[in-house]
Amino acid sequence: MALVLHAGNTNKNGFKALIAAEYSGVKVELVKNFEMGVTNKTAEFLKMNPIGKVPVLETPDGPIFESNAIARYVARLKADNPLLGSSLIENAHVEQWIDFATLEIDANILRWFIPRIGYAVYLPPAEEATISALKRALDALNTYLACNTYLVGHSVTLADIVMTCNLSLGFSRILTKSFTSEFPHIERYFWTMVNLPNFHKILGEVKQADSVPPVQSKKPSQVQAAKPKAKDEPKKETAKPKVELAAAEEEAPKPKAKNPLDLLPPSKMILDEWKRLYSNTRTNFREVAIKGFWDMYDPEGYSLWFCDYKYNDENTVSFVTLNKVGGFLQRMDLARKYAFGKMLVIGSEPPYKVKGLWLFRGQEVPQFIIDECYDMELYEWRKVDITDEAQKERASQMIEDCEPFEGEALLDAKCFK
C-alpha cells in the first residue's frame, strides 16, 4: 500500500510531510479533490481521525494524524536520515526546534490570524498579548539565526521543514514586510528555505502579505424583513424603555484608563528637557550635560536604577550581544514617555558584560513595563542611592559613556531617549 496523504493542496501542515518525502526519497500520494469541511466530515475520514483533523496519512500499518508526527514518520522511513540529525544531541535539537516552531511560532500566528478572518472572537487586548508573545519568540529565533544558517547542524533537518512551513502561513497572510524587517535574520532564513528546490517544488512561489487582514465585521444572526406600513397607519412615537437606554449606555465605549504614571504629582524635572540637553551637548559633556542632569534631577518624581544582565556568560559573540541589547531597547519603546536609559556592552573580548542605567518616572520600575517587556526579567535591578557618592559617580560615568568603565573597555554604548 502506498502512503496516501489526506490534505488540501494548500495546507501548510500537509506540506511538512511532502517536503520531508522529497528529501527522503519517499513517495507520498496526495489525495486529489480534497475539500476541507466536506471530505474530512465523511464517515471514511472520521474512521481514520475521529475528530476530523487534517492532515491524515494512510500507511500499511494504519492511519497517522497530527502533522509533525506524520513528517517524523516519513523521515524515519529512510535509515540514518540526516533530516533527524546525525547524533543523539542533534536529534534532541531537531525535536526542540519542532516544538518551538509549533508552540511559540505557529500557535501565536494562528491566534493573531484566525480572529481577524472571523473564525474566532476578535478581542483587541488578546491580539496585543498574542503579538507581544509572537515578537518575543521571533526575537529569540532571530538572535539564534544571526550566526546559524540552519536550525541544527549544517544542512536542512526536519526542524527547518516544520519551522518554514509554519512561518509560510505567517509571511503569506499576516506578517508584512514592516513587521518582519525587525527580524532580518529570520527574513534571510525564510527566503533561503522557500527557494531551496525541494521546498519550492511543494510550496511554489511564496509572496509576502501586503497588509494585515482587516477584522471581519459582525453579521446579525437574523435579518428581519421590514414590515410594510398600511397607508393610513399613523406614525407612532415610542419611547425607549429605561432598561434599553441603560444597556446602550453600558455598551458605549469607555474612556481608556490612564497610565498610573500620568496620575503622579507634577515633577520639577521635565524629561524632554533633559533628553534635549543630552542630545545637543557636543563638548564639555561632564561640565554641561552631567551637571545639568543632577541640577534637573527630581528624586521625588523620578528614580534611577542600575541593571545587570543575569547571563553574561552566554555573551560570547559580539554582534549577537549587541543585537540582544538593541532588541531590548526596541521593546522598551512603550516606556519612551516615562524613561531614559543607557546600556553599556563592556569588554574587549568575550564573554561581554551588559550593564545599564535607567531613569524612570515614579519610585519603582513601572509595572506596565515589567508586564509588557519580557527582557526586564533577564536583568537584576538595583535602585541607585544618590546619597552614596560612589553610586552617583557610577551613574554619571554611565551617562557619559566613560571609558574605561570599571577598568574595562566599552564595546558599545546605546542610549534610550
Side-chain angles (χ1 to χ4, degrees), residues 63-250:
I64 305 170
F65 58 87
E66 293 299 341
S67 61
N68 293 343
I70 294 170
R72 289 185 182 100
Y73 175 86
V74 170
R76 287 170 182 155
L77 290 174
K78 178 182 178 180
D80 299 322
N81 194 336
L83 287 183
L84 301 172
S86 58
S87 64
L88 186 62
I89 188 63
E90 282 199 357
N91 179 255
H93 286 156
V94 168
E95 296 299 322
Q96 161 194 289
W97 285 112
I98 288 175
D99 285 349
F100 181 89
T102 303
L103 300 174
E104 303 293 339
I105 303 297
D106 192 42
N108 285 311
I109 288 174
L110 289 172
R111 288 191 193 108
W112 184 8
F113 178 62
I114 295 300
R116 282 195 161 260
I117 60 173
Y119 285 90
V121 177
Y122 174 77
L123 298 171
E127 181 178 80
E128 289 179 13
T130 294
I131 294 172
S132 177
L134 177 60
K135 283 189 171 183
R136 176 180 181 177
L138 292 175
D139 186 66
L141 178 60
N142 189 67
T143 299
Y144 179 79
L145 291 173
C147 50
N148 292 279
T149 302
Y150 304 98
L151 292 176
V152 182
H154 301 289
S155 62
V156 170
T157 64
L158 198 58
D160 297 301
I161 294 172
V162 173
M163 181 70 77
T164 301
C165 288
N166 289 347
L167 285 171
S168 69
L169 172 67
F171 269 77
S172 62
R173 302 303 296 273
I174 202 166
L175 304 182
T176 61
K177 175 64 178 176
S178 61
F179 181 91
T180 61
S181 61
E182 185 179 339
F183 312 103
H185 304 300
I186 293 178
E187 287 186 324
R188 181 261 305 158
Y189 169 81
F190 177 75
W191 294 115
T192 298
M193 291 295 113
V194 299
N195 285 294
L196 293 174
N198 287 336
F199 281 82
H200 189 270
K201 180 177 179 179
I202 303 302
L203 298 175
E205 294 294 334
V206 179
K207 293 184 178 180
Q208 190 160 10
D210 294 323
S211 60
V212 174
V215 178
Q216 297 295 308
S217 60
K218 295 180 180 178
K219 295 181 180 179
S221 57
Q222 292 181 340
V223 180
Q224 297 181 346
K227 183 181 178 181
K229 290 184 179 180
K231 287 184 179 180
D232 298 328
E233 184 180 348
K235 186 177 181 181
K236 295 180 181 179
E237 295 290 339
T238 57
K240 288 187 177 181
K242 289 183 179 180
V243 174
E244 189 176 318
L245 288 172
E249 289 174 2
E250 288 180 3

Side-chain angles (χ1 to χ4, degrees), residues 47 52 219 250 285 318 320:
K47 186 177 179 181
K219 295 181 180 179
E250 288 180 3
F285 195 87
S318 60
V320 173

Side-chain angles (χ1 to χ4, degrees), residues 370-388:
I370 296 173
D371 292 341
E372 295 296 330
C373 184
Y374 74 87
D375 305 66
M376 299 292 286
E377 66 187 28
L378 303 178
Y379 292 84
E380 295 284 355
W381 294 87
R382 177 167 56 99
K383 198 171 188 178
V384 179
D385 179 3
I386 63 169
T387 64
D388 182 329

Side-chain angles (χ1 to χ4, degrees), residues 275-382:
K275 290 180 179 180
R276 279 194 294 272
L277 177 63
Y278 174 89
S279 299
N280 295 332
T281 303
R282 297 286 182 268
T283 58
N284 300 321
F285 195 87
R286 169 70 66 152
E287 293 77 12
V288 178
I290 300 300
K291 182 180 184 302
F293 175 79
W294 293 115
D295 288 343
M296 293 180 185
Y297 182 63
D298 171 19
E300 295 180 0
Y302 284 83
S303 56
L304 279 166
W305 295 80
F306 292 128
C307 67
D308 293 275
Y309 191 66
K310 295 178 182 178
Y311 310 105
N312 283 320
D313 288 346
E314 299 176 359
N315 297 331
T316 57
V317 181
S318 60
F319 71 89
V320 173
T321 306
L322 295 174
N323 286 345
K324 186 184 300 181
V325 174
F328 173 41
L329 296 182
Q330 286 181 344
R331 286 180 289 280
M332 285 290 285
D333 191 65
L334 75 168
R336 199 168 297 279
K337 180 180 175 183
Y338 311 100
F340 170 87
K342 290 300 296 284
M343 295 297 294
L344 307 183
V345 182
I346 302 164
S348 55
E349 58 184 31
Y352 303 100
K353 300 173 185 175
V354 178
K355 300 177 182 289
L357 173 76
W358 286 84
L359 172 73
F360 290 123
R361 184 74 165 99
Q363 293 304 304
E364 302 295 335
V365 177
Q367 187 61 45
F368 81 95
I369 301 175
I370 296 173
D371 292 341
E372 295 296 330
C373 184
Y374 74 87
D375 305 66
M376 299 292 286
E377 66 187 28
L378 303 178
Y379 292 84
E380 295 284 355
W381 294 87
R382 177 167 56 99

